[in-house]
Amino acid sequence: MIYLYAKAVHIIFVVCWMAGLFYIVRLFIYHTEAKSRPAEEYGILHRQFTVMESKLWWIITTPAMYLTVVAALVMLYMNPGLLKMGWMHVKLTFVLGLIFYHFSCQRIMFQLQSESSNWSSTKLRLWNELATVLLFAIVFTVVLKSALNWIFGVLGLLILSIALMMAVKLYKKYRNKSVERKR
């Protein structure tokens, strides 16, 4: 029964963690784009984004990550046989990538707060898609387990990554054209 409670907690906090990761980068994009505003307006926006990012990060995203990991460790402790399965090794590799992504976002947040970030809004949009790719990889690995055809899985992730990058580039073109039309 403890295993099932741990699994439920794990799923709930994965959802919270991913929501936080998706939203924090969106805030980074708006924070970065605010730099193009007049100095007084940027100062107000910078302070507001700093507060929003900090609260999201320290109240939701980071605690959710730790609770996700703790629940996962409880499940692995309760069922150590999972560690003998190849799909679990693949999943844990993707999860380590997601944890690295998490702390990279934290570094970006600190850079934005200290006004030392050199990330463009386009690069941040692409960065945001990495979390999507990792989420897809983790979910498909868990759901398909040993039935996962690695060749199709890798090709699918590659196609998804290319499609997401193209969508970001197309959005940038669309946005630039609508800014030009307004002028």
Side-chain angles (χ1 to χ4, degrees):
M1 199 61 148
I2 293 173
Y3 181 85
L4 293 177
Y5 282 110
K7 190 174 189 177
V9 167
H10 181 72
I11 292 168
I12 290 165
F13 285 104
V14 164
V15 170
C16 295
W17 183 23
M18 292 308 301
L21 287 176
F22 289 143
Y23 189 49
I24 195 76
V25 180
R26 185 85 343 236
L27 288 176
F28 294 165
I29 292 165
Y30 300 146
H31 195 159
T32 299
E33 290 177 346
K35 291 178 185 175
S36 65
R37 306 296 226 174
E40 185 178 324
E41 188 177 342
Y42 169 69
I44 293 167
L45 289 170
H46 173 70
R47 285 188 297 279
Q48 184 61 42
F49 282 123
T50 297
V51 168
M52 292 170 68
E53 291 160 0
S54 291
K55 286 183 177 183
L56 174 63
W57 195 253
W58 298 115
I59 296 171
I60 297 170
T61 311
T62 298
M65 179 201 61
Y66 284 117
L67 289 167
T68 297
V69 171
V70 167
L73 292 173
V74 168
M75 288 189 300
L76 291 173
Y77 176 78
M78 299 296 292
N79 188 359
L82 289 170
L83 290 172
K84 295 178 183 171
M85 298 180 180
W87 67 268
M88 182 57 76
H89 298 166
V90 174
K91 176 197 175 188
L92 292 175
T93 301
F94 286 131
V95 170
L96 285 174
L98 193 58
I99 291 170
F100 175 79
Y101 179 88
H102 177 98
F103 287 107
S104 296
C105 286
Q106 183 172 302
R107 187 171 35 86
I108 294 168
M109 180 180 71
F110 290 150
Q111 289 172 346
L112 282 166
Q113 289 174 356
S114 68
E115 300 186 63
S116 63
S117 173
N118 57 3
W119 286 75
S120 69
S121 63
T122 300
K123 284 183 183 176
L124 285 167
R125 281 183 172 83
L126 290 171
W127 178 251
N128 199 30
E129 301 313 326
L130 179 57
T132 304
V133 171
L134 288 168
L135 177 62
F136 269 72
I138 292 165
V139 170
F140 274 98
T141 301
V142 170
V143 170
L144 299 176
K145 293 181 176 60
S146 63
L148 181 63
N149 183 323
W150 296 107
I151 294 170
F152 288 122
V154 169
L155 282 174
L157 283 175
L158 186 62
I159 291 168
L160 173 65
S161 300
I162 290 168
L164 289 171
M165 288 183 356
M166 289 174 57
V168 168
K169 298 270 185 195
L170 286 171
Y171 175 73
K172 183 179 178 183
K173 280 185 181 180
Y174 169 78
R175 203 175 89 196
N176 288 342
K177 283 183 182 178
S178 58
V179 166
E180 288 174 16
R181 277 187 243 147
K182 289 179 181 177
R183 291 180 191 179

